[in-house]
């Protein structure tokens, strides 16, 4: 699903009755924000937009300075926004009747199939 209210495409994450949770996209909005936390101490890397490589370098350098610090919690963050639902929810139909054309076509095809089975018997 897309929403072009601000000129950018948005991917629907969760739809509610009148609101939609979407990924925020557009100029200046990073695809991902990367960071890691050392699980041995309180050290935390800086956050980097759109590139996990500086975070990996930070973790390796931290482990070189503290050889027993080898486990990290990696995070990727994204911006989300709740917006009004662009298309109203479909109203439940009160019309239970349906088109007659569908069942009539199926019935006609069944009749033609049955008659085609009788054609060899009629040729003798």
């Amino acid at each position: 699903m897309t929403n072009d209210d601000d000129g950018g495409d948005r991917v629907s994450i969760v739809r509610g009755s009148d609101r939609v949770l979407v990924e925020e996209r557009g100029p200046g909005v990073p695809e991902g924000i990367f960071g890691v936390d050392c699980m041995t101490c309180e050290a935390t890397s800086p956050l980097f937009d759109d590139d996990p490589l500086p975070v990996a370098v930070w973790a390796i350098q931290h482990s070189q300075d503290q050889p027993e610090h080898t486990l990290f919690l990696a995070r990727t963050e994204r911006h989300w926004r709740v917006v009004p639902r662009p298309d109203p929810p479909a109203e439940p139909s009160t019309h239970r009747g349906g088109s007659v054309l569908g069942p009539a076509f199926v019935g006609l095809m069944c009749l033609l199939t049955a008659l085609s089975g009788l054609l060899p018997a009629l040729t003798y």
Side-chain angles (χ1 to χ4, degrees):
M1 183 212 130
T2 60
N3 178 0
D4 293 325
D5 292 347
D6 61 345
D9 290 340
R10 292 181 171 168
V11 177
S12 175
I13 298 170
V14 176
R15 285 184 177 197
S17 60
D18 61 344
R19 299 235 172 229
V20 181
L21 180 64
V22 296
E23 288 184 35
E24 182 66 17
R25 296 189 175 174
V29 178
E31 287 290 318
I33 303 166
F34 300 93
V36 293
D37 297 330
C38 178
M39 298 298 289
T40 308
C41 70
E42 299 290 322
T44 300
S45 75
L47 298 176
F48 293 91
D49 291 352
D50 295 324
D51 189 6
L53 183 60
V55 175
V57 170
W58 182 92
I60 291 170
Q61 288 176 343
H62 181 75
S63 182
Q64 286 175 342
D65 295 339
Q66 311 268 342
E68 65 279 358
H69 297 208
T70 58
L71 183 62
F72 298 89
L73 174 64
R75 309 184 299 286
T76 302
E77 301 174 3
R78 293 190 172 154
H79 294 276
W80 289 358
R81 181 181 299 271
V82 175
V83 297
R85 188 174 180 157
D87 52 331
E91 295 294 324
S93 175
T94 57
H95 184 276
R96 296 284 180 199
S99 174
V100 178
L101 188 57
F105 177 76
V106 172
L108 180 61
M109 292 308 295
C110 288
L111 182 62
L112 290 174
T113 301
L115 288 177
S116 68
L118 294 176
L119 285 178
L122 294 177
T123 58
Y124 291 107

